[in-house]
Amino acid sequence: MATVVAFHAHPDDETLLTGGTLAKLAAAGHRTVIVVATDGHMADLDGRKAVRLGELEDSAAALGVARVAHLGYADSGHGAVLYADPPDRVRFARADPEEAAERLAAILREENPGVLLSYDRNGGYGHRDHVRVHEVGKRAAELAGVSRVLDATLPRESYTRLVRLLERLRIPLRYDPATLATLYSPRSEITHRIDVGPFAAQRKTALSAHRSIIEGSSRFATIANALLHLPTPILARALHWEWFAEEGAAPPSNTPLDDILQPAPR
Ligand SMILES: [Zn+2]
């Protein structure tokens, strides 16, 4: 049985990028671990428990994840301004990358995973914490000797189509159309495409565990609420796949692999 560690920026990122793959691995008897860089809070916690880490625990339980770990950083936010650090912790975007990689590498040495799931170099839609996950994930894998890193991503072409569809349905996404050219990964770089349709109910439970986010007005809340209102069979069709690009692999010449434990040709 294999161990797979999924490295994410914030609680909730695990659900739509890797939730089905993690549930599928767990259902097959593999050990899965989620590591989040940040607790998802912008402000001073002032001794209070980070609410979003608790929600992540509930989400992870729905996905059959064996362990959840946090690297101890604060959310850096996605706006134009990178705010000063809260008094009790450093924002991930301002952390020393080598120190952050060492914190992740310490967990990787304990878990000895066959695969580390990380993010593409664009950090998906460009959130500074997501870009940093790509860099820190890659470095931590080197430090801990994890030989396979798969970047969780989306085929840019599909994402662009989805954005256009949501625009037609008048679901506001507040997108700068120019950013569509650099979102996620071109289809030509995708090495793995995992069929996660059968795990739609678990992903729905995982998504709904992030209560503090869903009740808000963020872009993620808009998308999550739209998805949670779909009947599970429709959700299974809408979120049928999860996509990965293996670091160091040759560009795939045909259909992507459907098992992340199977290495892409180099
Ligand atoms: Zn995030």
Side-chain angles (χ1 to χ4, degrees):
M1 287 293 119
T3 297
V4 173
V5 174
F7 182 36
H8 285 287
H10 313 104
D12 78 30
D13 290 324
E14 78 288 353
T15 56
L16 293 182
L17 282 169
T18 63
T21 301
L22 294 174
K24 190 172 190 171
L25 287 163
H30 302 294
R31 177 176 170 81
T32 55
V33 175
I34 292 174
V35 180
V36 277
T38 82
D39 50 41
H41 292 276
M42 293 289 294
D44 181 8
L45 291 175
D46 200 18
R48 286 172 301 127
K49 193 173 172 294
V51 170
R52 294 190 62 194
L53 289 178
E55 294 171 347
L56 174 60
E57 295 277 354
D58 293 345
S59 165
L63 300 172
V65 169
R67 176 184 178 192
V68 174
H70 170 223
L71 296 190
Y73 298 106
D75 196 331
S76 309
H78 186 40
V81 180
L82 175 58
Y83 292 104
D85 293 335
D88 52 354
R89 61 221 194 289
V90 174
R91 296 200 192 283
F92 188 41
R94 204 178 271 122
D96 172 8
E98 195 64 17
E99 192 207 301
E102 190 45 62
R103 290 188 194 185
L104 176 56
I107 296 167
L108 297 177
R109 289 185 196 105
E110 286 170 22
E111 294 289 346
N112 192 25
V115 175
L116 173 67
L117 304 180
S118 183
Y119 291 168
D120 64 73
R121 63 182 173 278
N122 297 318
Y125 59 96
H127 190 299
R128 48 173 76 87
D129 285 335
H130 288 232
V131 174
R132 176 86 19 137
V133 161
H134 172 76
E135 297 160 0
V136 167
K138 202 167 172 175
R139 178 66 181 139
E142 282 170 12
L143 290 170
V146 177
S147 58
R148 297 185 59 219
V149 178
L150 268 67
D151 297 335
T153 190
L154 299 174
R156 185 177 301 152
E157 297 85 347
S158 306
Y159 196 84
T160 305
R161 269 204 307 278
L162 175 67
V163 169
R164 302 254 149 81
L165 173 70
L166 292 176
E167 279 169 359
R168 277 207 299 281
L169 296 173
R170 303 198 189 289
I171 296 174
L173 284 177
R174 301 190 295 269
Y175 251 109
D176 172 3
T179 62
L180 289 177
T182 55
L183 284 169
Y184 295 96
S185 306
R187 195 174 281 282
S188 60
E189 289 180 9
I190 288 172
T191 55
H192 294 71
R193 184 183 72 166
I194 311 303
D195 178 352
V196 296
F199 300 91
Q202 280 169 269
R203 291 175 91 194
K204 209 169 172 177
T205 307
L207 196 52
S208 61
H210 294 284
R211 293 167 294 274
S212 63
I213 288 300
I214 288 166
E215 287 160 9
S217 59
S218 65
R219 184 163 64 204
F220 183 83
T222 306
I223 296 170
N225 281 305
L227 292 172
L228 288 171
H229 280 93
L230 298 175
T232 302
I234 307 290
L235 183 73
R237 278 168 62 188
L239 301 179
H240 198 88
W241 309 104
E242 286 174 351
W243 294 269
F244 299 90
E246 183 157 356
E247 292 279 338
S253 56
N254 44 24
T255 313
L257 301 168
D258 66 359
D259 177 2
I260 64 161
L261 299 177
Q262 192 181 345
R266 290 187 177 247

